[in-house]
């Protein structure tokens, strides 16, 4: 009677190698680290923020569930209405200026001239410098006493009417220079100026990359047809660069809408809440006042608006056949 040999056993290493030979299993394994990062640093904070927005949590207390109570208080708050309007105004105006000036600068940089590569690299400097560092420099330039803008205006005034006229004007108080960040009518304009200065290189370089993908033959054909510069831009450049422009503009809207560092360093929402954005208001309520529940509610108020913008972008690009 012959004895049956035991079936050969496979080691753990062999089973793992066999499983990884399946492309589907290998794909799941490769996606696992990214999935863990998303769960830990995005999904968990998001779910925690939603829960906190539905509680009356204050620093040092666990908080109790109050449903939509925080949102009801916000909609009844004048400061929240001001911050919401300021956020929309700030985002729209800054994005329009960045898009228009970015396109103009990209068209200039797309031309061939001496030191073009150095010029293109220099344009990126505002985007490369850390936000806090560059904003502190702008804070000094807007300073009421040491503002370089006010010093320049005074120098021009002195050149116009003479030193004695300048002294007379200062004694009367008519020409001390504007309070760029202290005047409600100038504070928002100053903040928008800094945001445009910082975001302009991103628009210019992105549009420049799109311009360089347009075949020169199209412009040669337009020249043969007798098209002017504006018609070539409107009928050739703009349609071909539109997919790039849509992506860049939507990305800028999302980043600008949630901007915090720039406004907080320059004005902290002042004067008289004239530059308060939803991001700075959320920080003031959550970290400054300790009312984490209301701060989380303000932050989550931005979510549906930004989600709508992103969904619109995806829908538009799919409709245009852009993969």
């Amino acid at each position: 009677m012959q004895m049956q040999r035991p079936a050969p056993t496979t080691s753990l290493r062999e089973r793992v190698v066999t499983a990884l030979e399946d492309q589907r299993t290998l794909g799941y394994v490769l996606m696992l680290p990214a999935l863990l990062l998303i769960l830990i640093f995005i999904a968990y904070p998001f779910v925690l923020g939603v829960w906190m927005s539905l509680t009356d949590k204050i620093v040092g207390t666990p908080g109790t569930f109050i449903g939509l109570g925080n949102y009801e208080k916000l909609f009844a708050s004048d400061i929240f209405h001001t911050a919401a309007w300021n956020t929309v105004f700030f985002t729209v105006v800054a994005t329009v200026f960045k898009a228009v000036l970015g396109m103009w600068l990209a068209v200039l940089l797309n031309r061939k001239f001496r030191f073009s590569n150095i010029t293109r690299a220099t344009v990126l400097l505002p985007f490369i410098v850390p936000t806090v560092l560059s904003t502190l420099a702008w804070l000094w330039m807007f300073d009421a006493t040491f503002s370089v803008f006010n010093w320049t205006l005074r120098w021009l005034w002195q050149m116009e009417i003479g030193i004695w006229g300048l002294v007379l004007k200062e004694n009367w108080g008519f020409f001390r220079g504007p309070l760029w960040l202290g005047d409600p009518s100038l504070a928002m304009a100053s903040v928008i100026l800094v945001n445009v200065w910082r975001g302009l290189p991103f628009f210019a370089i992105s549009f420049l990359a799109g311009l360089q993908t347009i075949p020169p033959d199209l412009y040669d054909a337009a020249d043969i047809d007798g098209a002017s510069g504006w018609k070539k831009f409107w009928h050739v450049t703009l349609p071909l660069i539109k997919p790039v422009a849509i992506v860049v503009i939507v990305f800028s809207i999302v980043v600008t809408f949630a901007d915090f560092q720039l406004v907080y360093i320059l004005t902290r929402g002042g004067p008289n809440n004239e530059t308060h954005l939803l991001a700075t208001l959320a920080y003031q309520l959550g970290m400054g006042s300790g009312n984490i529940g209301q701060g989380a509610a303000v932050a989550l108020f931005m979510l549906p608006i930004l989600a709508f913008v992103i969904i619109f972008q995806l829908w538009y690009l799919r409709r245009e056949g852009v993969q």
Side-chain angles (χ1 to χ4, degrees):
M1 183 175 178
Q2 295 181 350
M3 297 181 61
Q4 296 181 352
R5 295 181 179 180
T9 58
T10 58
S11 64
L12 177 61
R13 179 178 179 276
E14 293 175 345
R15 284 181 288 179
V16 170
V17 171
T18 303
L20 292 179
E21 289 178 351
D22 183 6
Q23 292 185 357
R24 181 177 299 180
T25 304
L26 179 61
Y28 289 142
V29 172
L30 294 177
M31 285 174 22
L32 185 59
L35 179 61
L36 291 176
L37 290 176
I38 292 174
L39 291 176
I40 295 174
F41 296 105
I42 297 179
Y44 172 71
F46 174 75
V47 174
L48 184 62
V50 172
W51 167 251
M52 287 183 176
S53 70
L54 301 176
T55 66
D56 59 353
K57 181 173 179 57
I58 301 176
V59 175
T61 64
T64 57
F65 180 79
I66 60 173
L68 300 178
N70 288 324
Y71 296 94
E72 294 176 355
K73 292 179 181 178
L74 290 177
F75 281 110
S77 172
D78 293 336
I79 297 179
F80 175 77
H81 294 163
T82 301
W85 164 250
N86 288 343
T87 303
V88 174
F89 179 81
F90 172 76
T91 302
V92 172
V93 175
T95 303
V96 169
F97 273 99
K98 285 185 286 188
V100 174
L101 296 178
M103 181 63 73
W104 170 74
L105 186 57
V107 171
L108 293 181
L109 294 176
N110 195 38
R111 298 178 178 178
K112 295 181 180 180
F113 55 92
R114 295 185 61 184
F115 308 111
S116 59
N117 293 331
I118 298 177
T119 305
R120 293 168 184 172
T122 305
V123 169
L124 280 174
L125 285 178
F127 195 72
I128 296 174
V129 177
T131 304
V132 175
L133 184 61
S134 60
T135 308
L136 286 174
W138 278 97
L139 181 63
W140 171 78
M141 289 190 289
F142 285 136
D143 186 83
T145 304
F146 304 103
S147 172
V148 65
F149 298 130
N150 289 350
W151 182 89
T152 304
L153 291 175
R154 289 173 182 171
W155 181 79
L156 293 174
W157 191 269
Q158 175 182 342
M159 295 295 294
E160 179 69 22
I161 64 176
I163 186 63
W164 293 110
L166 176 62
V167 173
L168 190 60
K169 287 288 185 181
E170 287 195 348
N171 290 335
W172 284 348
F174 289 161
F175 193 80
R176 297 181 181 274
L179 298 175
W180 299 99
L181 301 178
D183 190 337
S185 60
L186 294 176
M188 179 58 75
S190 302
V191 171
I192 291 175
L193 172 63
V194 179
N195 182 270
V196 171
W197 171 84
R198 177 161 180 79
L200 183 59
F202 173 71
F203 276 77
I205 297 300
S206 300
F207 290 161
L208 177 61
L211 289 175
Q212 293 184 343
T213 62
I214 300 177
D217 297 341
L218 297 177
Y219 292 109
D220 295 337
D223 289 332
I224 295 175
D225 293 336
S228 61
W230 172 251
K231 287 185 177 180
K232 287 191 292 184
F233 174 80
W234 188 259
H235 295 288
V236 178
T237 304
L238 200 57
L240 294 178
I241 204 177
K242 183 164 45 174
V244 176
I246 292 295
V247 174
V248 172
I249 290 173
V250 171
F251 179 79
S252 176
I253 289 175
V254 173
V255 174
T256 307
F257 196 89
D259 197 353
F260 167 77
Q261 299 180 71
L262 190 150
V263 179
Y264 186 77
I265 293 174
L266 288 177
T267 63
R268 286 176 170 76
N272 299 327
N273 302 316
E274 290 296 325
T275 60
H276 245 324
L277 306 182
L278 290 176
T280 57
L281 180 61
Y283 180 84
Q284 178 178 319
L285 290 175
M287 305 303 295
S289 303
N291 196 332
I292 299 179
Q294 287 192 11
V298 174
L300 286 173
F301 181 80
M302 297 185 289
L303 177 64
I305 301 176
L306 298 180
F308 172 79
V309 173
I310 295 174
I311 292 173
F312 171 78
Q313 173 204 6
L314 296 176
W315 169 82
Y316 181 82
L317 293 178
R318 178 166 296 185
R319 193 192 71 170
E320 295 292 324
V322 179
Q323 300 296 330

